[in-house]
Amino acid sequence: MANYSFDQYIKKAMKYDFLANYYKYSDPSKHIHYYQKHLYYIQQAILTSSENTNLRVNPPQIRILHASPDSPSVDIYINNKRVIRNLTYKQETDYIELQEPGRYTISIYPAGETGRPVLTESFTFEGNQNYTVAAVDELNKLDLLFIYDNTDVPSGETKLRFVHLSPDAPAVDIAARGGDVIFSGVQFKEVTKYLPLSPMHVQLSVRIAGTKNVVLEIPALNLRPNRTYTVYAVGFAKNRPVLEALISQDR
């Protein structure tokens, strides 16, 4: 087994946690297999951390995005405690600091109701990391999308990524307006890697993948130094609320 740094072990652990959740209901054996790998890399990260006494582990931070276009306002509970009230479609919270790294349960309730949650999912949040948890898809298929926010950026530089959250839109390309494609074939619920850039003013278009057919013009972006950005495509391509872009500053 290769010797990794603390951050590399954490990234491995996150990868296998994602896979374990993916197969949680469809293939229990794969769920168990990947969850065991997740635990192994968590243990290795802890060992690596203990070997480096100068390493400080800060609590994880998360933010919640309401991106389900036909869902009502919601309340968000973390480990059975309400932390967010009346979050409406297209709203994204500020980062919330959790008490410590570990596995947390996130539940979604209709705003003001305390009966049965609409959805409950559990995720592992690691120290020194930021996350976005997005409520996505239509109400009858509501899901939570777990997104790692890598806010590290070289001094004086910037970076940008795209997240496809439109339930009925096909795969898309993200291109400079009238120019080259920078993210290609992005599927629903897909999170692109961050694209490192020099600070600049950019105008981007969303096209149906492999074509010049523009379905959405993204508002002009002024990418500032030492910042990271996420562009979300939300809404419906063939219904209301209509397709639009949300711009979020991750750092």
Side-chain angles (χ1 to χ4, degrees), residues 112-239:
E113 297 186 18
T114 57
R116 185 175 181 178
V118 176
L119 180 66
T120 296
E121 293 282 353
S122 294
F123 302 97
T124 298
F125 298 98
E126 313 299 344
N128 298 327
Q129 307 294 338
N130 291 351
Y131 303 87
T132 299
V133 178
V136 300
D137 216 331
E138 299 175 59
L139 178 59
N140 62 355
K141 297 180 287 186
L142 193 64
D143 190 18
L144 288 178
L145 185 63
F146 181 83
I147 304 171
Y148 168 55
D149 299 336
N150 181 359
T151 58
D152 294 335
V153 61
S155 179
E157 296 299 304
T158 186
K159 58 185 183 180
L160 173 74
R161 68 179 174 183
F162 178 78
V163 183
H164 184 335
L165 298 182
S166 173
D168 66 340
V172 296
D173 294 337
I174 313 304
R177 196 167 299 178
D180 294 335
V181 172
I182 56 175
F183 300 113
S184 63
V186 186
Q187 305 276 350
F188 176 50
K189 297 186 185 179
E190 184 176 349
V191 181
T192 72
K193 294 182 178 180
Y194 284 98
L195 177 68
L197 295 166
S198 297
M200 64 176 70
H201 184 81
V202 296
Q203 293 181 301
L204 301 174
S205 300
V206 180
R207 306 172 182 169
I208 296 176
T211 76
K212 299 291 186 180
N213 185 7
V214 175
V215 293
L216 178 65
E217 299 285 9
I218 297 172
L221 297 170
N222 182 25
L223 303 179
R224 299 169 55 199
N226 307 314
R227 298 287 185 270
T228 63
Y229 299 87
T230 298
V231 177
Y232 302 101
V234 300
F236 290 115
K238 301 175 183 177
N239 207 337

Side-chain angles (χ1 to χ4, degrees), residues 23-24 26-36:
Y23 288 108
K24 186 174 182 179
S26 62
D27 192 330
S29 63
K30 285 187 177 180
H31 166 73
I32 294 170
H33 172 73
Y34 287 123
Y35 192 65
Q36 287 174 339

Side-chain angles (χ1 to χ4, degrees), residues 13 16-17 32-46 124:
Y16 289 118
D17 183 61
I32 294 170
H33 172 73
Y34 287 123
Y35 192 65
Q36 287 174 339
K37 283 184 171 289
H38 162 74
L39 291 177
Y40 170 81
Y41 282 105
I42 287 292
Q43 291 167 353
Q44 295 303 308
I46 292 170
T124 298

